[in-house]
Every structure is written in C-alpha cells, then in structure tokens.
Amino acid sequence: MPYTISNNSCAGCDKCRFQCPTGAIKIDNGEYWIDPHLCNNCEGYYSEPQCVSACPNKSPIPLQVKKGRCKINDRELTSSDLFFNGKSNPFASGIPVWEACNVLSQRTSLPWEVDESIMVHYSKQINQGKGKIAFHINSSPDGYELATDLEAVEALDIRAACVHLIFAAYATFSDKPWEEEFVIDDKQIEKYLGLEKRKDLNKTTKLALMKSLVQQVCSLLISIDLPACGRIKPISLEKTCLWHLLGIVHHFQQDELGCKYLIGLTFRVKAGIWAKYFLNKEACKQRTAFYQYGNLPKSLLTTVMSIWQQHEGAARLMMWLMFKTKMGKQQRITVPTLMRIAYGDRKVAIACRKREERKRLLRTFESDLETLSHYGMKPIFDPVTYPPAIQPLWAKLADIPEDPDEAIEFWINDGNGGRRLTDVSPRGKWKMLMNARILSFELSREWDQPNLSGRKKQQQTNKKRTTIKTAGGLLGEQIRLARNNLSLSQRELAKLMGKSQSWIRDIENGRLKVKIDDQLVLRRVLQIA
C-alpha cells in the first residue's frame, strides 16, 4: 500500500524526499505529496518505509482510497474528443506508427539485439530491404538514458499499444502534428479504453495505470533510413522520440489532514519529427512527403483491453491486421505469418520440434481465430490450402442451420458423407497448416473507412459552440474562473444573482446567452471590469 503525507503536521524538513529510493516524494506548490504510481513501501530496498523512519513528526501515513466524488475546478482545456460518430476515427497509419504498435504489442517476441554501444534495440528491413527502421527505449522518464537490457522491453505493456493508437488518432487533427501539441486527460483515456466500466479498479489504480501507459509510449525512440523515392528526398532520423511528452499536470484534492489525493491527470503530447515525412498533408499534395492514415475502430481499443490477458495472441493479431487490411481485403496471409505475429518466432520454432508444444499452440491458435471472428474479424479460409478437414471446429459449427428441420437434414447428410464433422483431425495437420492460407478477413461495419465528412460536421459544431459561448462580451470560461477566484460555488452565485443553479451552469457551459441586465449584475458580483 502506498503512503501519503499529512501537510498539516509536516515540518518541511525535506528529509524524506532524499531517503525515498523510488523518487516518489514530490513537492507541488510548496506542499509534499507521494506519487502512488512510484511508491511501493520501499519493498526490495528496505525492510520499512524510509519516509516514515526519516520524518520526525511521522507525517507519512498509509494512503486510503479516496471516497466520494472527485471535483477539479482548474482542469486544463483538452483537445476534442475522438470517435465523433461513436464508432471510429481516422489515425496515422504510416510505417513508424505500425512498427511501434508491433513493438508495444509483441515486445520480447521480437528479435531484440544489443548494439556496439551496449544499447538494446530492435531493427527491421522495410521497403523491400531498401530501408531500415529501428527502436530504442528511454528507460528514464525524466531524462535521456537508453535501456541496456531486456528488462525495459519486458516492462512494456501490450495495453500501451492502445494509448499509442489514440495518440496516432489525435495526430490527424492538425495539419502540422510535429509542431502542434494536443492535450488529453485521464477522463478521455478512461473513456476510450473502457476503464470507466471497471468497477473493480479504484481511481488511484486507474490513474497509475494510465500514467504508466503514456510514459511507456513516449519512451520509444525511432530511427529511420529510407532512400529517395520520386520527389521524396532520402529520410534519415536517428533516435528521435516517437511521441514527445511535453508535460504532465497532476490534479489534487486535499482532505482535512492536508493529505493530497491525486484525482486527475492531464497530458500534453506532440508527435515526433517522423510526422513531417509520414503525416504531412501539404507536402503529400506536392509529392514530397507521405500522408498515410487508416481507420481506428473504437471497439478495437475496448476489445484489446478486455482480452489482453486471456487472448494475448488475438489482441496482437487484431492490432496487426488493422494496418494490414487497409492494403486490401483480398490479400492472402499465410498461417505461419499469423502465428509468428501472435506468438513469436521462438514459440513457433519450438512447436515444430516438440509434439506437445505443437498441440498446445494449435489449440491456442484456433481459439484466437474464434476470438477474432467473435469481435468482427472473421477469417475466410482458402478452400485449397485450408480445407474443412483442418479448419477449427467452431468454423464448421457456424454452417449448421438454425431451423430444426434443416439442422436434422444437415446432420443426416454429414453422417452419410465420407468425412464427418465430429471426426478427429487428420494426421499431419500441423504440416498442412504450415502451407495453409487465409484469403481475407471479413470485417464488421465498424472497420469501414473513416467518414471524414463527420469530422467536418464536428468542427462546424465546435465553431457554433464557440460562438454561443461568447455571451455578450462575457465568456462562460471567464465567468467560471472569476467565480472560482472568489471561492463561490454555483449555488452561492445563483443565490446572489437571484437565479437557479442550472442557469449558472448553462451560462458557464455556453448553452445560454446572458441578457444585458444580467451581464451588469454578473460583472458587479464577480468584480469583472
């Protein structure tokens, strides 16, 4: 259980901060607080928490879960929400984004190496062997320190790939994402990942998870070498940030003991310089750069967050196929390729040598294919290389008619056939699978191409909201800040104005226009010049 500091009894001696082995104790506005994401009771370092031992007043106390509603008054304005149509949103899908998604989802399954500088890295040939892309990991959240062992790779979380895709979607909102930043808070990430439905996780746990995932995404460093292609000049990038984490704003709520509870996070992020070459709309029109985008279904994020433990292979395939299917639904994919993506080369190689591992991997693969089909990515088997005899049982059962009479006739015909549905798999099934192919994946409607006209409608709506929010020279945001500066609640301001609390709320949210008489009263009450 992490600790927190009671600032009412804290003497400000600053002894505890230097004794903390994880650097969890921080100072915000002259007051101490302990980051619950970093505090681990000094386990693995000391037998007892060092902040308690070093404090003369015993101010650090065990952190209790914050109960009740969390209210933040000075939260920074964030970028527009994704998934304006409730289903999908465009996202940057160039080779840097795709390979980074593979790195975060496949992690140690990829062939990581140690270079001459003793830095662990992963590299891959691209553009038919003409180019190369590589990734390093920055193991220091507050500085620049490249990882030297595989522990940094093992620490990566597959769920960080979902946050990476969210960032890739926000990057498409601006014309120059390598220069313009976007702001996203914990509420938005919680909604996109479906964490708002996780009642088993408290607020502190969710915030620690989101902060960790964002830092993992921003820890990737990318190197690209591509030759000239037409008008596009050679591209050469060396260990640049995939995503720049420009800042994290922590939002607190303080209790009567002076303990500061972390109740919110706001992240300021900007795309790396790679976006200048792979997400440059203006240069793409002049054919001097690329502008590659795809379609990010909202259901993919929530699905990966729900199946990543039980069906990690299916989650890996789902994110890989999201990039692959945009190249054409009829593109054939071999079964060995899918297995290497889902489980890594090492597991596939072991299964080829050992029978028990082969049987186990085969069952897992068929289960993962069923999971993909259930969540909107139905595989279409090649009838020549992937005949019904070696297809998964769930695929065969899908052909059974729902009508009782037709079902009886189906089973009668099956029993009279040369091979029955319930027969065991033929000998040499693994060898046959190594030569089998899947013709395509039948995608659900949520995976269709993004509707860019919907974004235009959203932008027009935002402009209308901005116009409405300007109420006779008084902005709703201006009214809210003036009210907070005077430490007035909406109810207290409504009482002074002789209005209802809902009227104040609608004015601050820009839903109502303020009449001239009410403007004068508001300026006088809130002391606005």
Side-chain angles (χ1 to χ4, degrees):
M1 175 184 295
Y3 275 67
T4 184
I5 293 179
S6 173
N7 283 286
N8 290 354
S9 59
C10 177
C13 62
D14 207 30
K15 294 181 179 179
C16 58
R17 191 159 60 96
F18 297 100
Q19 294 294 329
C20 181
T22 61
I25 303 177
K26 304 179 184 298
I27 301 178
D28 181 76
N29 294 329
E31 296 182 330
Y32 288 82
W33 70 282
I34 300 179
D35 191 342
H37 170 58
L38 300 176
C39 180
N40 65 345
N41 286 355
C42 296
E43 293 181 5
Y45 298 95
Y46 303 98
S47 58
E48 61 180 6
Q50 293 300 290
C51 57
V52 179
S53 303
C55 181
N57 298 334
K58 304 299 180 184
S59 296
I61 57 176
L63 175 66
Q64 301 296 326
V65 178
K66 178 71 176 67
K67 297 182 180 180
R69 298 180 64 181
C70 299
K71 185 178 179 181
I72 303 176
N73 293 325
D74 56 348
R75 184 184 287 269
E76 185 177 357
L77 294 177
T78 60
S79 302
S80 302
D81 286 342
L82 300 176
F83 311 113
F84 48 85
N85 59 2
K87 295 181 179 180
S88 61
N89 196 90
F91 81 111
S93 60
I95 191 68
V97 177
W98 186 1
E99 291 301 334
C101 186
N102 293 334
V103 168
L104 292 170
S105 60
Q106 299 177 39
R107 306 182 308 286
T108 54
S109 297
L110 298 175
W112 291 82
E113 300 175 349
V114 178
D115 57 20
E116 60 277 2
S117 303
I118 322 179
M119 303 300 176
V120 63
H121 75 284
Y122 162 70
S123 61
K124 180 181 178 180
Q125 300 293 326
I126 56 176
N127 195 16
Q128 299 178 350
K130 299 178 183 178
K132 181 181 179 181
I133 186 170
F135 289 90
H136 290 75
I137 299 178
N138 182 13
S139 57
S140 176
D142 302 324
Y144 186 84
E145 183 179 349
L146 297 184
T148 58
D149 51 45
L150 288 177
E151 290 185 2
V153 182
E154 295 172 352
L156 296 177
D157 195 318
I158 187 174
R159 293 171 290 181
C162 296
V163 177
H164 166 64
L165 294 176
I166 292 173
F167 289 177
Y170 270 107
T172 61
F173 274 71
S174 58
D175 294 330
K176 295 182 178 180
W178 60 93
E179 295 180 357
E180 304 172 16
E181 65 183 55
F182 57 87
V183 181
I184 181 172
D185 64 6
D186 61 286
K187 289 186 177 180
Q188 291 173 308
I189 298 178
E190 185 179 14
K191 180 172 62 175
Y192 301 151
L193 300 183
L195 291 175
E196 55 188 1
K197 300 178 181 179
R198 292 290 304 272
K199 304 302 181 183
D200 57 318
L201 301 178
N202 58 50
K203 187 69 174 180
T204 302
T205 304
K206 290 181 181 179
L207 292 174
L209 173 62
M210 287 184 277
K211 185 177 181 180
S212 174
L213 297 181
V214 169
Q215 289 178 335
Q216 288 180 34
V217 173
C218 298
S219 69
L220 291 183
L221 304 177
I222 186 172
S223 301
I224 303 177
D225 285 311
L226 277 177
C229 179
R231 298 182 185 178
I232 301 177
K233 297 180 180 180
I235 301 174
S236 180
L237 302 176
E238 185 67 23
K239 298 175 185 174
T240 62
C241 289
L242 182 70
W243 301 101
H244 295 278
L245 184 57
L246 303 178
I248 304 177
V249 179
H250 300 81
H251 304 285
F252 301 97
Q253 192 167 341
Q254 193 163 310
D255 61 9
E256 62 278 359
L257 297 177
C259 298
K260 304 182 73 170
Y261 292 89
L262 183 64
I263 59 174
L265 294 168
T266 300
F267 305 96
R268 292 172 49 245
V269 185
K270 183 178 69 173
I273 193 63
W274 61 267
K276 187 175 182 179
Y277 305 96
F278 296 93
L279 199 66
N280 193 331
K281 187 181 298 184
E282 188 64 29
C284 182
K285 294 178 181 179
Q286 302 172 3
R287 298 184 179 182
T288 58
F290 302 100
Y291 188 81
Q292 299 168 318
Y293 70 92
N295 186 37
L296 176 63
K298 182 181 180 180
S299 59
L300 179 136
L301 302 177
T302 55
T303 298
V304 171
M305 292 295 294
S306 61
I307 69 172
W308 69 277
Q309 286 180 303
Q310 294 81 8
H311 301 280
E312 182 177 348
R316 291 180 177 184
L317 286 174
M318 189 172 293
M319 288 185 284
W320 184 80
L321 287 169
M322 180 184 60
F323 294 89
K324 193 71 173 177
T325 51
K326 72 181 178 64
M327 299 180 182
K329 296 184 178 180
Q330 297 302 321
Q331 187 172 7
R332 297 185 178 185
I333 305 175
T334 63
V335 169
T337 299
L338 293 175
M339 285 190 174
R340 285 194 294 268
I341 296 298
Y343 317 112
D345 291 333
R346 183 172 176 272
K347 283 190 176 181
V348 176
I350 293 176
C352 290
R353 298 193 305 266
K354 298 183 179 180
R355 182 183 179 186
E356 291 301 321
E357 293 295 330
R358 182 161 59 245
K359 292 169 62 176
R360 185 179 296 109
L361 189 64
L362 184 58
R363 288 194 300 267
T364 304
F365 177 68
E366 293 183 344
S367 175
D368 288 338
L369 285 182
E370 183 180 10
T371 303
L372 289 178
S373 178
H374 176 74
Y375 286 104
M377 302 184 71
K378 181 181 178 181
I380 306 300
F381 303 99
D382 183 5
V384 178
T385 62
Y386 211 143
I390 61 173
Q391 290 179 12
L393 179 61
W394 62 265
K396 304 174 185 178
L397 295 177
D399 297 331
I400 300 177
E402 296 183 0
D403 182 76
D405 295 334
E406 294 180 0
I408 292 176
E409 184 177 356
F410 173 87
W411 286 111
I412 292 175
N413 295 333
D414 180 75
N416 294 330
R419 182 172 182 80
R420 289 170 289 277
L421 186 65
T422 54
D423 287 348
V424 296
S425 301
R427 298 189 62 179
K429 179 178 178 179
W430 177 264
K431 190 174 182 180
M432 297 172 67
L433 277 176
M434 291 296 100
N435 297 314
R437 294 187 178 189
I438 291 180
L439 292 178
S440 62
F441 282 85
E442 186 178 313
L443 306 180
S444 63
R445 293 182 178 179
E446 295 180 352
W447 293 73
D448 291 338
Q449 290 300 317
N451 183 8
L452 296 180
S453 61
R455 173 177 289 185
K456 294 180 181 179
K457 292 180 180 179
Q458 185 199 30
Q459 292 174 350
Q460 293 174 357
T461 303
N462 291 339
K463 290 181 180 178
K464 292 180 180 178
R465 289 176 179 173
T466 304
T467 304
I468 295 175
K469 205 168 183 179
T470 304
L474 277 180
L475 291 171
E477 185 71 15
Q478 185 180 2
I479 296 173
R480 185 183 67 83
L481 292 175
R483 176 176 59 81
N484 291 333
N485 291 336
L486 296 176
S487 300
L488 293 175
S489 65
Q490 289 183 342
R491 179 177 298 179
E492 292 171 341
L493 178 58
K495 188 175 181 181
L496 293 173
M497 290 287 299
K499 302 285 186 178
S500 64
Q501 183 179 351
S502 61
W503 184 86
I504 298 295
R505 182 175 61 250
D506 290 340
I507 289 298
E508 291 184 354
N509 292 332
R511 299 192 188 101
L512 292 178
K513 291 184 178 180
V514 187
K515 295 181 181 180
I516 297 178
D517 296 339
D518 293 330
Q519 290 179 39
L520 298 175
V521 179
L522 273 173
R523 290 181 181 276
R524 185 173 64 253
V525 173
L526 297 176
Q527 302 176 9
I528 300 177

